[in-house]
């Protein structure tokens, strides 16, 4: 499981130009069961994506498809996380990782 933290490196007016395309990118990977959640940081300096069912190399390939990446809108910081303790409502995600899915 990975936490991807995006930090905008351009003005919000530039970010807004690519929001629709970025949302379509997110939708694609929700449909493929790769993304668990995403959202804006507060204050609005970037965003966060929680990712599953991929290895680091595949994740890098996925992120290169993001319009924010392609248009140099954001920097990406990737942190791999191995859940060891979690709420029962999160178990379906954590257990698939622990079982090697």
């Amino acid at each position: 499981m990975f936490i991807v933290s995006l930090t905008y490196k351009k003005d919000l007016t530039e970010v807004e130009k690519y929001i629709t395309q970025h949302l379509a990118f997110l939708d694609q990977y929700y449909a493929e069961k790769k993304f668990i959640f995403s959202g804006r940081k507060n204050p609005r300096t970037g965003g966060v994506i929680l990712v599953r069912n991929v290895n680091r190399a595949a994740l890098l390939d996925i992120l290169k498809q993001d319009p924010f990446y392609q248009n140099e809108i954001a920097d990406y910081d990737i942190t791999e996380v191995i859940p060891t303790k979690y709420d029962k409502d999160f178990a379906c995600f954590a257990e698939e990782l622990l079982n090697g899915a």
Side-chain angles (χ1 to χ4, degrees), residues 29-46:
Y29 288 99
Y30 278 111
E32 293 182 21
K33 303 292 186 197
K34 305 279 190 234
F35 293 174
I36 298 172
F37 78 80
S38 57
R40 295 177 179 170
K41 293 179 182 176
N42 187 18
R44 194 170 174 200
T45 58

Side-chain angles (χ1 to χ4, degrees), residues 18-99:
Y18 297 96
I19 280 289
T20 301
Q21 295 169 342
H22 175 69
L23 294 174
F25 159 79
L26 294 172
D27 287 344
Q28 175 184 347
Y29 288 99
Y30 278 111
E32 293 182 21
K33 303 292 186 197
K34 305 279 190 234
F35 293 174
I36 298 172
F37 78 80
S38 57
R40 295 177 179 170
K41 293 179 182 176
N42 187 18
R44 194 170 174 200
T45 58
V48 174
I49 306 169
L50 186 61
V51 182
R52 65 176 176 161
N53 294 333
V54 297
N55 60 37
R56 184 175 289 271
L59 176 57
L60 293 173
D61 288 341
I62 288 169
L63 294 177
K64 288 177 184 175
Q65 298 171 42
D66 185 355
F68 283 179
Y69 179 92
Q70 295 171 348
N71 293 284
E72 300 182 359
I73 300 298
D75 287 324
Y76 297 74
D77 182 50
I78 301 168
T79 304
E80 186 168 7
V81 179
I82 300 168
T84 54
K85 190 165 181 68
Y86 45 86
D87 182 275
K88 66 178 176 65
D89 293 333
F90 193 75
C92 62
F93 301 113
E95 289 170 1
E96 89 183 4
L97 291 171
L98 299 174
N99 293 327

